[in-house]
């Protein structure tokens, strides 16, 4: 026996659907049936939504992780910049006590800086150098000061397109003019090849310098900004038979631990004008160490002279 045609069945089902929708909309007779059907179909709904739920969970997990990583990097950079500004506070306090208006405090705290990451260390045990992930494309220039969150680390001596090499303040070929923050006593801080301490040169045997004195950059070398912490005096040995005292300074910067550094674009560094780099070549034991383009034997209270043209050509 042949049943009704497909068209008839489709028409009948359509009419039945319309009748059920009208009855359900106007009367409450079908509510119990709809409730029972809902309970039966709930597991089917749950199974059908499983792929969507799984995708949402994975996407949320990945997104949250990426957001947390980005936020962590941002907060780390902000903390580094904040600590960079705090380094100036000790110097500013002492200057205010002595009523020395060298620079306006807002100007002192307004240098432009660039955050860099340490990506390599020179394996040579007699060289104190590191490599960072910023280079010429980022505006890095020769002689640019480099800091970490606690003090001066060194200066850029080689600039490549994507990376740069930094000579640390503890290298034997590095010197910079400094002053004692307590009384403004000037001296030359020279590297010793040991990352644990620096040596202060040209400090008279009767000079007013004590253990725990803070040593900051003086800015007289016209490369490092003035007022940044360089180190803390840990040893003073006075010998009346010698013209100068033996003074050792522990670097403030965490030379062996800092991973994120700051490249400073300061007025003292002329915001990227070309300066002659350090000459790292020495001839014999009596070779002189260059001090940011000047001889380190120069008395600490003498204004440094401009670098010679020959040094510029050598550095290039």
């Amino acid at each position: 026996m042949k049943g009704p045609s497909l068209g008839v069945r489709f028409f009948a089902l359509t009419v039945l659907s319309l009748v059920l929708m009208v009855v359900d909309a106007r009367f409450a007779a079908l509510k119990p049936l709809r409730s029972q059907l809902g309970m039966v179909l709930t597991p089917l709904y749950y199974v059908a939504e499983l792929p969507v739920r799984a995708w949402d969970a994975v996407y949320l997990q990945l997104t949250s992780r990426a957001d947390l990583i980005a936020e962590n990097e941002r907060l780390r950079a902000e903390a580094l910049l904040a600590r960079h500004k705090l380094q100036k506070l000790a110097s500013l306090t002492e200057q205010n006590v002595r009523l020395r208006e060298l620079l306006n405090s807002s100007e002192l705290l307004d240098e432009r800086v660039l955050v860099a990451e340490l990506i390599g260390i020179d394996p040579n045990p007699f060289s104190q150098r590191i490599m960072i992930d910023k280079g010429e494309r980022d505006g890095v220039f020769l002689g640019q000061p480099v800091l970490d969150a606690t003090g001066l680390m060194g200066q850029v001596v080689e600039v490549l397109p994507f990376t740069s090499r930094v000579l640390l303040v503890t290298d034997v070929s590095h010197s910079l003019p400094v002053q004692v923050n307590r009384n403004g006593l000037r001296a030359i801080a020279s590297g010793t090849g040991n990352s644990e301490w620096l040596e202060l040169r040209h400090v008279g045997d009767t000079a007013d310098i004590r253990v725990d004195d803070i040593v900051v950059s003086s800015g007289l070398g016209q490369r490092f900004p003035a007022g940044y912490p360089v180190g803390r005096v840990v040893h003073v040995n006075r010998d009346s038979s010698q013209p100068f005292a033996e003074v050792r300074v522990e670097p403030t910067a965490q030379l062996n631990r800092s991973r994120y550094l700051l490249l400073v674009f300061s007025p003292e560094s002329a915001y990227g004008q070309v300066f002659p780099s350090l000459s790292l070549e020495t001839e014999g034991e009596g070779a002189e160490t260059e001090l940011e383009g000047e001889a380190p034997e120069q008395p600490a209270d003498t204004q440094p002279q401009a670098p010679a043209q020959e040094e510029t050509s050598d550095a290039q």
Side-chain angles (χ1 to χ4, degrees):
M1 181 176 179
K2 186 177 180 181
S5 64
L6 182 62
V8 173
R9 283 183 287 180
F10 175 76
F11 177 76
L13 291 175
T14 302
V15 172
L16 179 62
S17 299
L18 292 174
V19 171
L20 289 175
M21 285 189 292
V22 171
V23 172
D24 183 58
R26 293 182 174 273
F27 307 99
L30 295 180
K31 284 186 178 180
L33 177 61
R34 186 171 57 198
S35 176
Q36 295 297 326
L37 289 176
M39 292 178 60
V40 173
L41 296 177
T42 297
L44 297 178
Y45 292 152
Y46 181 79
V47 172
E49 289 181 351
L50 279 179
V52 177
R53 291 175 180 272
W55 169 252
D56 290 342
V58 172
Y59 179 77
L60 181 61
Q61 182 71 17
L62 294 177
T63 304
S64 299
R65 179 178 175 83
D67 291 342
L68 288 175
I69 292 175
E71 184 178 7
N72 188 32
E73 293 295 331
R74 179 179 60 81
L75 292 176
R76 181 179 294 157
E78 290 179 357
L80 191 61
L81 293 175
R83 296 184 68 179
H84 151 256
K85 293 184 177 182
L86 285 175
Q87 291 180 42
K88 290 285 183 128
L89 294 182
S91 177
L92 290 175
T93 301
E94 292 297 330
Q95 289 174 7
N96 289 334
V97 170
R98 296 194 302 265
L99 299 179
R100 297 175 59 193
E101 297 179 354
L102 299 180
L103 289 174
N104 182 270
S105 60
S106 61
E107 295 176 354
L108 281 173
L109 295 172
D110 198 30
E111 288 113 357
R112 186 167 63 91
V113 295
L114 175 67
V115 178
E117 184 177 359
L118 185 148
I119 58 174
I121 301 175
D122 195 329
N124 184 355
F126 302 103
S127 176
Q128 300 277 319
R129 290 192 185 193
I130 59 175
M131 178 174 286
I132 58 177
D133 65 345
K134 293 294 186 291
E136 186 177 3
R137 65 168 186 163
D138 303 294
V140 179
F141 56 91
L142 287 177
Q144 185 168 16
V146 180
L147 301 87
D148 70 353
T150 57
L152 282 173
M153 293 234 358
Q155 61 177 300
V156 176
V157 293
E158 184 179 356
V159 180
L160 303 174
F162 301 99
T163 59
S164 300
R165 296 186 189 276
V166 176
L167 186 70
L168 300 182
V169 293
T170 51
D171 191 272
V172 293
S173 62
H174 191 279
S175 296
L176 73 152
V178 298
Q179 66 183 27
V180 177
N181 195 45
R182 176 172 56 85
N183 56 17
L185 177 69
R186 293 189 293 273
I188 303 297
S190 299
T192 61
N194 188 330
S195 61
E196 299 298 326
W197 54 278
L198 303 166
E199 179 184 11
L200 284 194
R201 296 184 179 180
H202 308 138
V203 177
D205 185 59
T206 60
D208 180 16
I209 187 168
R210 310 169 188 168
V211 173
D212 289 333
D213 274 344
I214 300 299
V215 177
V216 300
S217 56
S218 66
L220 297 180
Q222 299 183 6
R223 176 162 297 176
F224 289 100
Y228 280 108
V230 175
R232 180 179 63 89
V233 176
V234 294
H235 173 76
V236 178
N237 182 27
R238 306 179 191 274
D239 187 349
S240 58
S241 64
Q242 299 295 328
F244 300 112
E246 179 185 352
V247 182
R248 290 187 179 182
V249 174
E250 180 184 22
T252 305
Q254 300 179 359
L255 302 177
N256 295 327
R257 296 186 293 275
S258 293
R259 184 174 185 87
Y260 293 93
L261 313 175
L262 293 173
L263 296 163
V264 181
F265 296 82
S266 64
E268 290 87 343
S269 299
Y271 291 100
Q273 290 184 4
V274 177
F275 277 77
S277 62
L278 291 176
S279 175
L280 305 179
E281 301 292 335
T282 57
E283 298 179 1
E285 297 181 354
E288 295 183 349
T289 303
E290 286 193 20
L291 167 61
E292 305 175 354
E294 66 188 24
E297 287 75 12
Q298 179 180 348
D301 58 353
T302 303
Q303 183 70 21
Q305 303 297 324
Q309 182 64 31
E310 291 77 11
E311 295 174 355
T312 305
S313 61
D314 292 340
Q316 295 174 349

